[in-house]
Amino acid sequence: MKVLVVGAGGREHALVWKISKSPLVTKIFVAPGNAGMEEFAECVDIAVDQIEDLCDFALEQKVDLTVVGPELPLTLGIVDAFQKLGLKVFGPSQEAAKLEGSKAFSKELMLQVGVPTARFQIFNNVNEAKLFIVDREPPFVIKADGLAGGKGVLIASSCEEGIQVVNQMIQNRLFGEAGKRVVIEEFFTGDELSVLLFTDGEKIIPLASSQDHKRVFDDDQGPNTGGMGAYSPCPFVSDEELADIVDRCARPVIQELKRQETPYRGLLYVGLIMTEKGPQVLEYNVRFGDPEAQAILPRLKTDIVPIMLEIANGKLETKTLEWDSRPCITVVMASRGYPGTYQSGFKITGLEQIKSNDVVVFHAGTTREPNRDVTTSGGRVLNVSALGDTFKEARDRVYEALQKISFEGAFYRKDIGKRVFEKTGVK
Ligand code: GLY
């Protein structure tokens, strides 16, 4: 069968890599893709938000299954458009994708069905938002309602800062229309946890747990990023705790969306923080995590294509997933300046030196030049993922591999997986 993957980042490279292992698949297209995916797929020059062109392409090429990587096309209604044409597609409908596309929608839904989450208020009036802030104790979490490229959540540590943020978002349109409405919520401390699950709108199969590292520098310093590294599994969460999280933090929302006749079908990402009060939902994302996918998919032994097809057909038949018991750590190599401004176009060297079966390099922001060189073209450039019999072995492998690869301005966090090492005392 022919599969089209929509997207261009490390997550989509991991998806293409995993899909390529399926004996059902004869051809993979990726739109628009990146230099790393060329090994397994034909890259097609269509942007992720050109929905009509993607539909035309899938019809012309008789694509049997389309897998949508990023949230933008999902919130623009790519799944509805494909389904109208009778094309099979893996991902939630536009209505269900509001779980990520509108923070206000998802918080109200969580409140309605009793999912544990921070107390919140929604504002589109700057003066009302300010009055709310001055009446309360900082810190505040202030979220732009719409999609803001992973930058729409700001923490204000004082009332002054909070007022500044709502001014910038609502009045000065810092994030354009996405920030004309904001959610202000209480701030929690604790370990973050990512729980991803497959669902057809009713049945749920959780994937292995993982933990992202969102701050740009070691020891969780510096601004938030899309994610600088991840590991899987999260050894502090037992199977029982994971099942409990699914039951309390995901199932009620999935059931309610079904009741409203807008069932959620696809991959749901539940972003949690483990607090003294128990797990609290920070956010829902309507697609695989990036870079969580790059740590989870190398551990997944089950063929992913039948699962995606079953969900695209509306009925998840698969019962369980089989996992490699070995942990996986993925580390992001980024361009100097990320998550702010950075330069691109630097040649990447050393990729051919990565030969171990237990190490895989997923490309995120890379381009193949006419002379065949691979150059940088994004803030997050590469993900290096390594499996090991222990977390220590995975860490040693991943950092050894990272030393072989270079490009001008490259940097990466040296402490991915630090929670595991802190809690187990492994040096
Ligand atoms: N790693 C965070 C995200 O995918 O949104």
Side-chain angles (χ1 to χ4, degrees):
M1 60 184 279
K2 292 184 192 173
V3 178
L4 167 64
V5 176
V6 176
R11 165 184 50 213
E12 287 78 25
H13 190 177
L15 284 166
V16 164
W17 174 85
K18 180 67 188 160
I19 289 167
S20 75
K21 297 188 180 303
S22 172
L24 300 172
V25 174
T26 49
K27 171 88 187 170
I28 308 176
F29 298 104
V30 58
N34 64 36
M37 301 189 207
E38 291 167 355
E39 191 183 342
F40 310 102
E42 182 179 333
C43 295
V44 185
D45 190 16
I46 309 176
V48 300
D49 58 354
Q50 290 178 274
I51 311 267
E52 266 184 45
D53 292 348
L54 290 166
C55 284
D56 290 346
F57 179 81
L59 281 176
E60 264 164 38
Q61 295 293 333
K62 299 190 170 49
V63 166
D64 299 291
L65 174 69
T66 297
V67 175
V68 186
E71 61 278 15
L72 179 62
L74 293 166
T75 59
L76 293 176
I78 189 170
V79 168
D80 312 63
F82 270 58
Q83 284 174 343
K84 254 188 214 145
L85 296 168
L87 293 162
K88 286 197 177 35
V89 54
F90 175 81
S93 66
Q94 185 170 30
E95 189 58 29
K98 275 163 69 182
L99 276 185
E100 181 168 359
S102 168
K103 307 294 174 261
F105 171 84
S106 73
K107 290 292 288 194
E108 280 176 335
L109 194 56
M110 285 187 242
L111 183 68
Q112 184 194 335
V113 298
V115 163
T117 190
R119 282 176 299 177
F120 69 99
Q121 292 254 17
I122 299 164
F123 298 94
N124 48 28
N125 177 298
V126 81
N127 291 325
E128 286 172 16
K130 286 180 190 171
L131 282 175
F132 175 84
I133 287 172
V134 293
D135 230 17
R136 277 167 184 78
E137 283 293 309
F140 308 99
V141 180
I142 306 177
K143 296 177 171 175
D145 178 46
L147 296 184
K151 298 188 178 147
V153 180
L154 298 177
I155 315 289
S157 50
S158 65
C159 291
E160 292 70 38
E161 215 182 311
I163 289 171
Q164 224 176 12
V165 171
V166 294
N167 263 333
Q168 282 173 342
M169 284 199 195
I170 302 178
Q171 203 148 296
N172 304 341
R173 294 285 200 265
L174 175 66
F175 301 118
E177 291 298 288
K180 70 178 182 199
R181 184 153 69 145
V182 301
V183 176
I184 305 182
E185 62 181 46
E186 68 184 313
F187 175 83
F188 283 136
T189 48
D191 274 344
E192 290 192 23
L193 174 72
S194 305
V195 174
L196 279 57
L197 48 93
F198 288 120
T199 178
D200 59 4
E202 190 171 349
K203 185 172 165 184
I204 297 172
I205 306 185
L207 284 80
S209 58
S210 60
Q211 190 181 52
D212 190 8
H213 297 60
K214 292 216 173 65
R215 301 293 196 99
V216 68
F217 300 127
D218 285 7
D219 295 323
D220 296 324
Q221 300 296 311
N224 266 341
T225 67
M228 293 299 289
Y231 64 85
S232 172
C234 196
F236 319 114
V237 182
S238 66
D239 288 350
E240 291 71 34
E241 282 169 313
L242 192 59
D244 180 60
I245 286 171
V246 169
D247 283 342
R248 295 201 299 130
C249 302
R251 200 179 301 280
V253 158
I254 289 171
Q255 283 172 341
E256 177 58 19
L257 288 176
K258 180 158 191 254
R259 197 193 63 77
Q260 293 180 11
E261 297 180 5
T262 52
Y264 188 98
R265 297 194 175 121
L267 183 293
L268 181 66
Y269 168 137
V270 188
L272 298 137
I273 186 155
M274 310 303 272
T275 73
E276 285 172 353
K277 294 201 271 182
Q280 302 281 325
V281 176
L282 293 174
E283 62 178 359
Y284 294 118
N285 293 319
V286 296
R287 34 74 191 175
F288 281 86
D290 187 344
E292 287 93 329
Q294 295 89 304
I296 292 173
L297 293 177
R299 300 187 55 236
L300 180 61
K301 287 186 168 173
T302 312
D303 186 348
I304 201 169
V305 174
I307 302 170
M308 291 175 153
L309 261 179
E310 287 165 14
I311 292 176
N313 286 328
K315 184 131 185 71
L316 181 53
E317 311 273 3
T318 300
K319 299 214 164 21
T320 49
L321 303 175
E322 203 190 334
W323 296 98
D324 189 329
S325 60
R326 294 175 300 163
C328 183
I329 297 183
T330 189
V331 178
V332 171
M333 274 187 109
S335 300
R336 185 192 301 125
Y338 174 79
T341 49
Y342 54 83
Q343 288 186 305
S344 289
F346 299 115
K347 182 174 170 179
I348 303 171
T349 58
L351 291 167
E352 70 294 343
Q353 288 188 49
I354 311 299
K355 297 199 173 88
S356 162
N357 284 338
D358 295 319
V359 179
V360 47
V361 181
F362 296 120
H363 291 220
T366 69
T367 301
R368 172 98 46 199
E369 300 297 336
N371 68 1
R372 309 298 299 155
D373 282 350
V374 177
T375 57
T376 64
S377 59
R380 291 192 290 179
V381 176
L382 299 167
N383 297 263
V384 181
S385 299
L387 290 155
D389 285 339
T390 60
F391 272 99
K392 183 176 180 317
E393 194 171 82
R395 180 183 63 182
D396 291 348
R397 280 197 181 131
V398 84
Y399 283 109
E400 194 186 301
L402 278 154
Q403 282 179 8
K404 295 182 177 157
I405 305 172
S406 58
F407 56 86
E408 195 176 320
F411 77 97
Y412 52 86
R413 275 183 64 159
K414 313 280 189 305
D415 65 345
I416 301 302
K418 69 178 196 140
R419 291 272 185 281
V420 177
F421 300 110
E422 278 168 4
K423 291 193 182 184
T424 54
V426 174
K427 294 284 173 250

